[in-house]
Amino acid sequence: MGSCFSKKSKRKFEKELTPTSNGAQNTTNNNAEEEPKQYSWDKRDKVDPNDYILKGAKDTTIGRLPGTLNGQQLVIQDCENCNIYIFDHSATISIDDCTNCRVVLGPVKGSVFIRDCKDMKCVVACQQFRTRDCKKVDVFLSCATQPIIESSTGMKFGCFQYYYPDLAFHFKDAGLSIFNNNWSNVHDFTPVSGETNWSLLPADAAVLEYVPVPDSESQFKSVRVLTDASRSIVPLTRGGRRKESDESCLFVFFSGDYTTANARKLIDEATGKGFVLIQTKEVSVRPEDVKRIFQSDAEDLTELITKGPVVALELNGDGVVEACHNIAEEVFNGTRVFVSESKNTSTVDVDNFFNFADMQMGL
């Protein structure tokens, strides 16, 4: 069967097949002169892996300033007698074969893995924390999940205490809540019968006694660091230490613009009166879980829990329930909160909420 062309179409077709001066056929698309297609991954800034490795340093101060990691992973290796400051958020951090170093790690979205290290003193905020084959490591820790040690001895843990101006933003960028801290709930993956591989640091342990602030000669001198526990981004909790009183109170703030600020205000008010903060949690509650947690108050609270995660605090001390009711009326008047009704029900309130939160978080 023959093909039909108009005269105009035929001339155009012949032109397209006419060899060019260099012997190549001319085409209407002129593909030889087109720019190659750009994909999204071609447009990304090229990453030099060497920018994300700190290796072989000795007797010096090293690290990263705010804005230099921006969520990348970091490797720290073979360092000795160093002060290491990571004032930025990151994806994951591994620390291997380091000795006698003082380390500060800004919020880590994923895991911090410390291996084959000894005589270390650290300040760490992360989603997951794990050590393997380590000896004598002291850690001021904020960890969203249960910390794990493996084949490690002489491990000591305290509650995270630290501040620098960008730290709150770095927690947010790393997807971490300052209220979800399981620092004292340590799991020993390789326990030895009759031996204790880990313990808690003294309740009054201060970060500055373990990890110094950057000195005036280092590149980090411009970062304003505060180590006072009262200024810490993460609330200082008693954790797994024995409670001094049989009376605790559950105090819950519902999602809103000032939830974090209100929780901090409560902590200041309660601790200023001599009460102790045992634990905190930030967790989402589904309508079907409200009755199990709040029991007789469930109907009034169902709508509030749909607005976002709640922040719950356990405060401890003789007379704490009455004191919390007074604080709620005097300081948070007009703000919807949940406070244990009486000391007779408060223990059940605390157990119901924090058992639920632990199950939700897989602890």
Side-chain angles (χ1 to χ4, degrees), residues 167-199:
L167 186 53
F169 299 107
H170 291 163
F171 262 89
K172 184 176 180 180
D173 290 338
L176 301 177
S177 168
I178 62 173
F179 299 108
N180 291 334
N181 185 8
N182 295 282
W183 66 270
S184 65
N185 184 23
V186 180
H187 174 67
D188 187 353
F189 198 71
T190 52
V192 178
S193 179
E195 297 183 14
T196 302
N197 293 324
W198 68 274
S199 61

Side-chain angles (χ1 to χ4, degrees), residues 346-361:
S346 59
T347 299
V348 174
D349 293 335
V350 168
D351 288 344
N352 284 347
F353 187 91
F354 288 100
N355 287 340
F356 163 79
D358 287 345
M359 286 190 295
Q360 288 294 99
M361 300 176 72

Side-chain angles (χ1 to χ4, degrees), residues 189-309:
F189 198 71
T190 52
V192 178
S193 179
E195 297 183 14
T196 302
N197 293 324
W198 68 274
S199 61
L200 301 183
L201 289 168
D204 59 353
V207 168
L208 199 55
E209 299 172 356
Y210 295 77
V211 181
V213 298
D215 63 57
S216 59
E217 302 299 320
S218 79
Q219 61 176 310
F220 307 103
K221 62 184 179 182
S222 62
V223 180
R224 186 167 62 94
V225 171
L226 298 175
T227 60
D228 189 325
S230 65
R231 296 300 302 273
S232 177
I233 288 292
V234 174
L236 183 63
T237 55
R238 191 170 184 83
R241 297 188 181 97
R242 190 176 67 84
K243 298 176 185 178
E244 295 179 354
S245 171
D246 292 332
E247 183 179 345
S248 280
C249 181
L250 177 67
F251 203 117
V252 180
F253 291 96
F254 299 92
S255 185
D257 293 336
Y258 305 104
T259 304
T260 297
N262 285 341
R264 288 191 174 280
K265 181 65 175 175
L266 171 64
I267 294 169
D268 290 342
E269 292 283 337
T271 55
K273 297 179 184 298
F275 299 109
V276 177
L277 181 64
I278 302 298
Q279 59 181 327
T280 63
K281 280 290 190 296
E282 182 174 8
V283 66
S284 296
V285 179
R286 300 172 300 181
E288 57 265 34
D289 296 318
V290 174
K291 185 170 180 57
R292 177 156 60 96
I293 300 171
F294 298 108
Q295 300 188 29
S296 60
D297 294 279
E299 187 174 344
D300 294 336
L301 301 176
T302 300
E303 182 180 351
L304 292 176
I305 60 95
T306 63
K307 297 180 180 180

